[in-house]
């Protein structure tokens, strides 16, 4: 069984990278994941989706064997790179779901030899207040891309089982549906991010990140309180 240092568990997840899908979230995730102190899991989705029913009733749920099993069996949990013994070790002596998740991310950081561990799940731009309630120390980096380009990119990505393709309007006007979907996602992120304030929320434009990666990543590093590393650009 893996030994876990339980000190400072509230510092994990350290940061959430969020944004409307097709907005450059994966680019930003890869940049931050290349920092020598930080690892960012890619699109695991499990934090809210594995506990969806429980979180509807209680935003601060206690940890139960059923919740542990739901996390372990969630279809994208494998992206955390943790095995059954890791999950069991993380769950030991935890009282709350948030504490359990924090330990999972701490363990992922240790397995990747990184001090800090975060998550990139784009759709979490609509769930920042809920995540902030679970992890009060976590920070959010919200990447926003021009809605026109996002809609065009989404048009070739979505289908009836994915993204805005699930909406009934898709069959009538798919491009307008993609535009509305961007407005819904990006708008919710900006609104809720402003509510969190500058201490917890940082906004970056995709176009600026591509045009001026060094300065934008330096600003993100300052926001996170970590030293800038050229490895992020590389």
């Amino acid at each position: 069984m893996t030994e876990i240092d339980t000190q400072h568990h509230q510092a994990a997840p350290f940061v959430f990278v969020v944004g409307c899908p097709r907005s450059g979230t994966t680019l930003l995730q890869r940049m931050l994941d290349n920092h020598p102190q930080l690892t960012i899991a890619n699109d695991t989705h499990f934090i809210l989706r594995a506990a969806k029913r429980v979180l509807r009733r209680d935003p601060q749920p206690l940890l139960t064997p059923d919740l542990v099993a739901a996390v372990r069996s969630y279809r994208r949990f494998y992206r955390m790179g943790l095995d059954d013994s890791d999950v069991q070790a993380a769950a030991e002596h935890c009282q709350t779901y948030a504490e359990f998740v924090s330990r999972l991310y701490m363990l992922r950081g240790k397995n990747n030899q990184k001090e800090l561990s975060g998550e990139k799940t784009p759709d979490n731009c609509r769930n920042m207040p809920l995540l902030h309630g679970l992890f009060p120390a976590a920070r959010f980096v919200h990447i926003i891309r021009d809605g026109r380009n996002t809609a065009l990119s989404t048009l070739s990505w979505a289908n009836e089982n994915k993204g805005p393709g699930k909406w009934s309007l898709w069959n009538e006007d798919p491009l307008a549906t993609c535009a509305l979907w961007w407005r819904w996602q990006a708008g919710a992120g900006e609104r809720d991010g402003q509510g969190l304030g500058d201490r917890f929320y940082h906004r970056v434009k995709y176009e600026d990140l591509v045009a001026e990666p060094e300065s934008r990543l330096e600003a993100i590093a300052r926001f996170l309180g970590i030293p800038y590393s050229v490895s992020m650009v590389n």
Side-chain angles (χ1 to χ4, degrees):
M1 185 176 295
T2 308
E3 181 182 353
I4 296 178
D5 177 6
T6 60
Q7 187 177 12
H8 304 313
H9 70 269
Q10 290 183 335
F14 175 69
V15 60
F16 290 97
V17 175
V18 302
C20 181
R22 316 306 292 178
S23 292
T25 56
T26 299
L27 173 65
L28 182 55
Q29 177 262 331
R30 290 176 178 174
M31 288 174 159
L32 296 181
D33 186 65
N34 218 39
H35 190 284
Q37 293 178 248
L38 178 61
T39 181
I40 305 291
N42 186 32
D43 281 16
T44 70
H45 291 272
F46 80 90
I47 296 177
L48 300 183
R49 294 191 184 182
K52 183 186 298 185
R53 293 181 181 178
V54 177
L55 288 168
R56 284 175 180 169
R57 301 191 303 267
D58 182 1
Q60 298 285 350
L62 297 176
L63 185 66
T64 64
D66 286 345
L67 269 179
V68 174
V71 167
R72 185 67 191 94
S73 62
Y74 186 73
R75 63 186 180 88
R76 292 197 180 192
F77 183 76
Y78 75 92
R79 296 186 178 189
M80 288 288 284
L82 303 176
D83 58 26
D84 288 339
S85 64
D86 293 327
V87 175
Q88 185 178 357
E92 278 196 351
H93 310 301
C94 286
Q95 294 185 339
T96 68
Y97 179 63
E99 185 180 4
F100 169 57
V101 171
S102 292
R103 292 184 179 184
L104 289 172
Y105 278 88
M106 286 180 60
L107 185 51
R108 186 179 191 276
K110 289 185 177 182
N111 288 352
N112 286 275
Q113 300 181 325
K114 300 286 187 77
E115 300 169 32
L116 303 169
S117 181
E119 164 71 23
K120 185 272 281 189
T121 292
D123 293 26
N124 280 338
C125 63
R126 305 194 318 271
N127 297 301
M128 289 190 290
L130 178 56
L131 289 167
H132 180 66
L134 287 168
F135 313 105
R139 302 178 188 191
F140 298 84
V141 177
H142 182 196
I143 185 166
I144 298 180
R145 185 183 184 186
D146 186 297
R148 294 164 295 184
N149 290 329
T150 305
L152 289 173
S153 179
T154 303
L155 189 64
S156 63
W157 166 78
N159 58 52
E160 61 184 12
N161 298 310
K162 183 166 62 174
K166 297 178 181 179
W167 289 6
S168 58
L169 183 60
W170 176 260
N171 292 326
E172 284 184 47
D173 192 333
L175 183 57
T177 306
C178 292
L180 288 170
W181 191 65
W182 171 83
R183 185 174 181 179
W184 173 54
Q185 300 252 18
E190 286 198 288
R191 180 196 65 227
D192 293 337
Q194 290 171 4
L196 293 177
D198 293 342
R199 179 183 174 188
F200 297 105
Y201 175 78
H202 181 85
R203 178 181 180 273
V204 61
K205 290 184 178 180
Y206 167 81
E207 291 80 10
D208 293 342
L209 180 65
V210 172
E212 304 170 349
E214 293 90 351
S215 63
R216 301 303 166 175
L217 289 169
E218 285 174 354
I220 292 173
R222 284 195 301 271
F223 165 70
L224 296 176
I226 59 177
Y228 170 74
S229 173
V230 70
S231 62
M232 293 189 288
V233 177
N234 294 338

